[in-house]
């Protein structure tokens, strides 16, 4: 059952905040219920669905006009604001219904010509459908149960059984002008109905108030859910215990990248693994292979997921890239044939999309979404999971039957849908997975932010759970991390495996974590030195080993960036416990670069000095400044440039090294100029 999230007090608050204008109040309530819908993934996913409200406003001449506020392109229902509901003059839209045909491009142009504000986003491609329904509020969603119903072979019969005559059915028509007319005609033939079921597509409800339309939508979904619940398989397939094949995921990522580009420097896709019990049970179904050929739950999904998944086995993942590459090649050959068959009959020239898969089904492992970024992979994974739920419900009650191949192709290569993905050039580090140790500390967080700002997916490793949580909250849901003491046995492997499980692989290791242990070398306590070695040398060593194993499984090179420290070449009194392991790490960097260069794995580092982090806190800075008879500011600017070096400068240095494609075995100093620590 779907929870009804309407709250009278919340609705009253948004109306009060909107002010005295009636139209603004109606739009405020439209925003309120749109968010209620969008925040429930069972109702609407990733831009799927749209909402509208009809209001009266006055134009520049003081004349009252009818205006449709409808979801705009680029906005999602879960976070929509009033600006995401562009206002369109109704009279210009209603006149279009007299036409026999209207191209998609003309439809978009006319909708833009009727905008109240020409800086607004493009109105939804289903704007005309909203306009042609007479109700003030209209909601369009893709709830799982409604999609299962819409894809049944006898959808009309079942809809009558559930709803009687309260819902009208609209046969499948591709979104746009023709669908708008078909939906209007279906409503006008049954003007008493509460909603529309668009076969193979989705669900509409409408009403005189925001609450009426929202309540109807929730009620319809719940009624469908109860109907399907009575037909659930009493003995569903059982999930098998699954472990994550980390090297296998990395091999899959590398094989996908190889199929897309032979350039080893090209970005690899990000993976998003889903391995819940429901997913694993579905993949054990006897008809799983057949269901993999059935298509999408709603045409809106195809641009994110393609029409069909890549089906692999655990054995494929266990045997390196070769068996995975063979199945990817077969998938691509089939996709190219699909494109050829359908493009030949298209009225306009089509350019084939990249033919690699966007979703994989792997029994015993899970379902994987794939994309150029973590967000794209997450979206593909979410839609793939919903498809499994829709298929499960449908097969329990007569079968899952999606749209045919020709319709699928028309939707996948629909120019208006393609425009949603955008054509802007990708950020420099899009598709790169960057693991940062000490990621919640000053330097680690600055480095992670520097990579993130250029499109990278970052995975933070830090000992302190709360500081890690705070950092991840700031970075957002498409990044990840693990709280772990990196000096404990097996920690490096555990952290790298967690990164691979989350995103499918690793491209850049920023081995940053460290701490300044103190003590004179002549009287240095053995335990202090050993603790420093564990953190300041062995942790770098173990993380490098774990990262290299993943780089090799991917087969497309990789990078290791190490925070070494000026202490490696410029000893300081009382810092033997820090300098000794740092000097050893400096040699480790050179040795790694020497041994791994032939595999395309670059190893570089940064020697930083006097950065506000760890030991160098305000208390320590004040003490050191007082001992030298200078101000803290002068102490921190004690370099040739006479300016303080900040954590962000170290972060930018790591990025610069990562972008230096033909540089390895290099250590960059970030110290404002310290002749004693300069490298010769």
């Amino acid at each position: 059952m779907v929870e009804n999230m309407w709250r009278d007090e919340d609705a009253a608050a948004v109306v009060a905040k909107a002010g005295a204008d009636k139209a603004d109040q109606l739009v405020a309530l439209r925003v309120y219920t749109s968010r209620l819908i969008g925040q429930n993934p069972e109702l609407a996913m990733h831009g799927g669905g749209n909402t509208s409200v009809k209001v009266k406003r006055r134009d520049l001449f003081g004349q009252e006009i009818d205006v449709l506020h409808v979801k705009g392109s680029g906005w999602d229902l879960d976070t929509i604001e009033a600006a995401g509901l562009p206002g369109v003059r109704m009279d210009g839209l209603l006149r279009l219904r007299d036409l026999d045909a209207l191209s998609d491009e003309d439809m978009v142009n006319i909708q833009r010509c009727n905008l109240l504000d020409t800086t607004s986003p493009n109105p939804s491609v289903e704007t005309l459908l909203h306009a042609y329904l007479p109700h003030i509020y209209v909601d369009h969603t893709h709830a799982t149960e409604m999609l299962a119903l819409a894809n049944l072979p006898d959808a009309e019969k079942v809809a009558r059984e559930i709803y009687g005559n309260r819902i009208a059915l609209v046969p499948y028509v591709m979104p746009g002008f023709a669908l708008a007319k078909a939906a209007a005609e279906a409503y006008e033939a049954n003007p008493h109905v509460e909603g529309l079921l668009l076969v193979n597509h989705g669900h509409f409800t409408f009403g005189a108030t925001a609450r009426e339309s929202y309540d109807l939508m929730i009620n319809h979904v719940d009624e469908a859910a109860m109907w399907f619940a009575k037909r659930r398989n009493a003995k569903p397939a059982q999930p098998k215990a699954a472990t994550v094949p980390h090297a296998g995921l990395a091999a899959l990522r590398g094989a996908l990248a190889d199929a897309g580009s032979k350039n080893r420097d090209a970005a690899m896709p990000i993976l998003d693994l889903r391995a819940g019990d429901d997913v694993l049970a579905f993949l054990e179904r006897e008809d799983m292979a057949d269901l993999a050929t059935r298509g999408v739950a709603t045409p809106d999904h195809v641009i994110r997921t393609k029409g069909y998944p890549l089906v692999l086995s655990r054995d494929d993942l266990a045997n390196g890239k070769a068996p995975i590459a063979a199945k990817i090649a077969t998938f691509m050959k089939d996709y190219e044939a699909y494109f050829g068959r359908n493009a030949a009959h298209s009225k306009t020239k089509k350019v084939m999309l990249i033919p690699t898969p966007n979703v994989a089904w792997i029994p015993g492992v899970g379902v994987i979404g794939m994309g150029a970024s973590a967000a794209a992979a997450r979206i593909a994974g979410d839609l793939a999971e919903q498809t499994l739920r829709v298929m499960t419900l449908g097969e329990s009650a007569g079968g899952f039957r999606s749209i045919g191949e020709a319709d699928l192709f028309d939707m996948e290569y629909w120019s208006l849908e393609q425009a949603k993905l955008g054509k802007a050039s990708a950020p420099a580090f899009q598709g790169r997975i960057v693991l940062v140790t000490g990621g919640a500390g000053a330097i680690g967080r600055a480095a992670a932010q520097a990579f993130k700002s250029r499109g990278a997916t970052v995975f933070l490793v830090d000992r302190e759970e709360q500081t890690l949580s705070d950092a991840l909250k700031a970075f957002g849901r498409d990044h990840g991390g693990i709280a772990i003491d990196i000096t404990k046995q097996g920690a490096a492997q555990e952290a790298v495996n967690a990164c691979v499980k989350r995103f499918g692989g690793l491209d850049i290791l920023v081995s940053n974590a460290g701490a300044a242990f103190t003590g004179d070398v002549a009287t240095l306590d053995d335990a202090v030195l050993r603790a420093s070695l564990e953190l300041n040398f062995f942790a770098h060593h173990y993380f490098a080993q774990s990262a290299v194993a993943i780089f090799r499984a991917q087969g497309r090179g990789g990078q290791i960036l190490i925070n070494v420290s000026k202490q490696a070449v410029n000893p300081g009194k009382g810092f033997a416990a820090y300098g000794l392991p740092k000097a050893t790490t400096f040699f480790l960097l050179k040795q790694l670069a020497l041994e791994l260069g032939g595999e395309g794995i670059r190893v570089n580092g940064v020697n930083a000095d006097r950065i506000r982090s760890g030991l160098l806190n305000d208390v320590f800075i004040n003490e050191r400044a007082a001992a030298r008879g200078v101000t803290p500011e002068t102490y921190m600017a004690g370099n040739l440039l006479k300016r303080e070096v900040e954590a962000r400068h170290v972060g930018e240095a790591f990025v610069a090294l990562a972008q230096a494609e033909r540089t390895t075995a290099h250590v960059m100093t970030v110290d404002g100029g310290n002749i004693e620590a300069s490298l010769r």
Side-chain angles (χ1 to χ4, degrees):
M1 304 292 283
V2 178
E3 182 182 1
N4 189 315
M5 297 296 293
W6 176 281
R7 301 292 182 268
D8 288 336
E9 59 274 22
D10 293 339
V14 300
V15 169
K17 187 176 180 180
D21 185 86
K22 179 65 174 177
D24 289 345
Q25 292 176 357
L26 293 173
V27 171
L29 285 171
R30 174 69 289 170
V31 170
Y32 173 60
T33 54
S34 296
R35 288 187 172 190
L36 296 184
I37 293 167
Q39 289 166 6
N40 187 334
E42 284 298 306
L43 301 175
M45 283 191 177
H46 306 300
N50 37 69
T51 58
S52 69
V53 60
K54 300 178 182 74
V55 304
K56 291 186 180 295
R57 294 191 182 276
R58 293 195 178 275
D59 63 16
L60 290 175
F61 304 101
Q63 294 180 324
E64 190 175 71
I65 59 173
D66 292 318
V67 175
L68 174 73
H69 284 276
V70 64
K71 176 181 171 293
S73 179
W75 286 83
D76 288 342
L77 293 180
D78 59 339
T79 56
I80 200 164
E81 298 175 3
L85 293 161
V88 192
R89 295 176 182 85
M90 283 282 290
D91 58 352
L93 303 179
L94 296 176
R95 288 180 60 192
L96 296 175
R97 194 172 170 191
D98 294 332
L99 298 175
D100 293 327
L102 180 67
S103 72
D104 295 327
E105 290 71 23
D106 284 343
M107 178 184 73
V108 170
N109 184 52
I110 291 171
Q111 289 176 180
R112 283 208 63 80
C113 288
N114 282 280
L115 284 170
L116 296 186
D117 181 352
T118 58
T119 66
S120 297
N122 278 341
S124 165
V125 295
E126 289 173 340
T127 292
L128 295 181
L129 198 163
H130 287 261
Y132 295 165
L133 295 171
H135 309 82
I136 294 176
Y137 286 91
V138 178
D139 293 325
H140 171 39
T141 62
H142 295 135
T144 299
E145 289 80 7
M146 301 309 290
L147 291 181
L149 172 57
N151 283 287
L152 291 177
D154 54 351
E156 183 170 8
K157 177 183 176 182
V158 175
R160 294 285 166 263
E161 180 182 341
I162 299 172
Y163 305 107
N165 293 319
R166 293 183 290 125
I167 283 185
L169 262 70
V170 181
Y172 178 75
V173 180
M174 189 170 165
F177 179 64
L179 176 60
K181 293 186 73 169
E185 290 164 3
Y187 169 76
E188 288 162 0
N190 306 273
H192 59 278
V193 296
E194 302 169 347
L196 303 173
L197 180 67
L198 277 56
V199 174
N200 298 125
H201 183 167
H203 172 224
F204 276 81
T205 56
F206 26 74
T209 67
R211 180 165 191 176
E212 180 184 354
S213 184
Y214 175 72
D215 284 350
L216 283 171
M217 186 262 295
I218 297 294
N219 292 341
H220 288 178
V221 174
D222 284 347
E223 289 179 85
M226 288 187 287
W227 186 87
F228 278 111
K230 296 175 182 177
R231 290 155 180 81
R232 285 187 183 276
N233 188 343
K235 294 183 178 180
Q238 294 300 307
K240 291 182 178 178
T243 56
V244 180
H246 299 97
L249 292 179
L252 170 59
R253 185 169 180 249
L256 288 165
D258 289 347
S261 173
K262 298 306 178 185
N263 176 8
R264 191 167 62 180
D265 293 328
M268 289 182 272
I270 307 296
L271 309 186
D272 193 312
L273 172 66
R274 310 301 174 89
D277 285 348
D278 288 348
V279 168
L280 293 172
F282 178 92
L283 295 174
E284 295 301 322
R285 291 176 63 114
E286 293 181 357
D287 58 352
M288 183 274 292
D290 175 54
L291 289 171
T293 69
R294 297 278 189 88
V296 293
T298 177
D300 298 61
H301 288 185
V302 69
I303 199 167
R304 301 287 192 178
T305 66
K306 284 196 165 65
Y308 310 98
L310 169 71
V311 179
L312 298 171
S313 69
R314 271 194 68 93
D315 287 344
D316 292 330
L317 266 63
N319 291 301
K321 288 169 68 173
I324 301 171
K327 289 193 174 179
I328 291 173
T330 299
F331 181 97
M332 294 172 67
K333 183 178 179 181
D334 291 343
Y335 185 89
E336 289 162 359
Y338 149 80
F339 176 84
R341 286 192 301 272
N342 291 279
H345 301 291
S346 176
K347 295 179 181 179
T348 59
K349 184 179 179 179
K350 304 294 184 184
V351 178
M352 188 174 69
L353 300 170
I354 297 173
T356 50
N358 290 354
V359 171
W361 291 7
I362 312 174
V365 175
V367 165
I368 298 176
M370 312 162 187
S373 65
R378 170 175 52 82
I379 290 170
D382 284 349
L383 299 181
E385 273 200 280
Q386 186 186 34
T387 297
L388 267 55
R389 293 194 294 271
V390 170
M391 287 180 168
T392 299
L393 290 175
E395 287 296 296
S396 72
F400 171 83
R401 299 292 183 274
S402 185
I403 57 175
E405 181 180 280
D407 288 324
L408 188 72
F409 178 85
D410 287 343
M411 192 70 185
E412 186 174 6
Y413 284 86
W414 186 26
S415 60
L416 300 187
E417 275 297 316
Q418 290 294 296
K420 288 183 179 180
L421 294 182
K423 302 300 180 184
S425 58
F429 284 92
Q430 179 173 291
R432 269 34 179 226
I433 301 165
V434 181
L435 185 153
V436 184
T437 67
I443 294 176
R445 188 162 175 172
Q449 179 58 45
F451 281 104
K452 174 183 179 292
S453 68
R454 292 165 172 83
T457 297
V458 299
F459 189 90
L460 308 182
V461 179
D462 205 280
R463 183 177 59 185
E464 300 299 329
E465 191 163 345
Q466 187 56 56
T467 54
L468 175 67
S469 177
D470 292 342
L472 290 175
K473 190 178 298 183
F475 276 54
R477 62 180 172 176
D478 290 316
H479 304 277
I482 184 173
I484 194 169
D485 178 356
I486 66 171
T487 65
K488 77 172 186 178
Q489 187 173 5
Q493 188 67 64
E494 184 178 345
V496 170
N497 283 350
C499 179
V500 174
K501 180 180 179 181
R502 178 68 178 82
F503 297 118
L506 177 63
D507 296 286
I508 301 172
L509 166 66
V510 180
S511 193
N512 162 72
F517 290 74
T518 60
D520 292 338
V521 67
T523 58
L524 185 60
D525 185 273
D526 186 61
V528 173
L529 179 59
R530 289 182 181 278
S532 184
L533 281 163
E534 288 294 340
L535 177 60
N536 292 309
F537 169 69
F538 280 109
H540 294 291
H541 172 56
Y542 294 139
F543 267 92
Q545 287 184 322
S546 298
V548 168
I550 297 302
F551 294 160
R552 285 173 169 166
Q554 292 170 164
R556 293 176 69 86
Q559 293 193 58
I560 299 171
L561 298 169
I562 300 176
N563 188 347
V564 182
S565 169
K566 73 96 180 181
Q567 202 73 24
V569 294
N570 180 211
K573 291 181 179 180
F575 281 90
Y578 184 52
L580 286 169
K582 281 297 187 180
T584 311
T585 298
F586 182 55
F587 184 88
L588 172 69
L589 181 156
K590 299 284 188 176
Q591 191 71 31
L592 288 169
L594 176 68
E595 295 179 359
L596 300 173
E599 299 177 55
I601 299 172
R602 298 194 292 115
V603 188
N604 295 294
V606 170
N607 274 1
D609 185 27
R610 216 169 283 191
I611 312 295
R612 292 180 189 267
S613 65
L615 178 66
L616 198 59
N617 54 28
D618 288 343
V619 173
F620 187 85
I621 291 169
N622 290 335
E623 290 176 352
R624 297 296 287 262
R628 287 165 172 76
V630 299
T631 66
E633 292 73 22
T634 300
Y635 171 74
M636 291 303 294
N639 53 53
L640 298 180
L641 298 178
K642 304 301 182 186
R643 302 182 70 181
E644 180 178 344
V645 182
E646 300 172 17
R648 63 185 177 89
H649 299 126
V650 183
E652 291 296 327
F654 281 127
V655 168
L657 289 167
Q659 291 178 313
E661 295 181 354
R662 296 297 181 267
T663 298
T664 193
H666 177 64
V667 176
M668 179 186 292
T669 57
V670 184
D671 57 13
N674 180 348
I675 290 298
E676 290 80 4
S678 60
L679 299 174
R680 296 175 177 84

